[in-house]
Amino acid sequence: MDTQGAPAGPQGARGLHERVLSSLGPAITAGEYPPGTILRTDELERRFDVSRTVIREAIRVLESMHLVASRRRVGVTVRPTEEWNVYDPQ
């Protein structure tokens, strides 16, 4: 088991990154993080109480939906709404 009580291993990590996604994705689309907002991974780690790996996996999914763009030394930037993949089932 990990520190959040989820089973260790791939299934436990999957549950954690899905938990982050289910909170962060809707927050972005609802405008809680307007386009241009910089999200710092270290702050996200603390907010969701998860590892950097879990945050990176969640960010990869958000990038695939074109909700965010990740750049070294800048952070994760919320992209303009017209760039979002509105047809993504997630």
Side-chain angles (χ1 to χ4, degrees), residues 53-67:
T53 302
V54 171
I55 294 298
R56 285 181 181 161
E57 286 300 316
I59 295 300
R60 282 189 196 120
V61 174
L62 294 172
E63 282 180 306
S64 74
M65 295 186 283
H66 302 280
L67 293 177

Side-chain angles (χ1 to χ4, degrees), residues 22-49:
S22 68
S23 177
L24 193 54
I28 291 170
T29 59
E32 290 178 39
Y33 300 101
T37 301
I38 305 287
L39 304 172
R40 297 198 31 196
T41 55
D42 57 335
E43 291 171 2
L44 293 173
E45 288 172 44
R46 284 192 298 276
R47 177 179 169 199
F48 292 103
D49 191 28

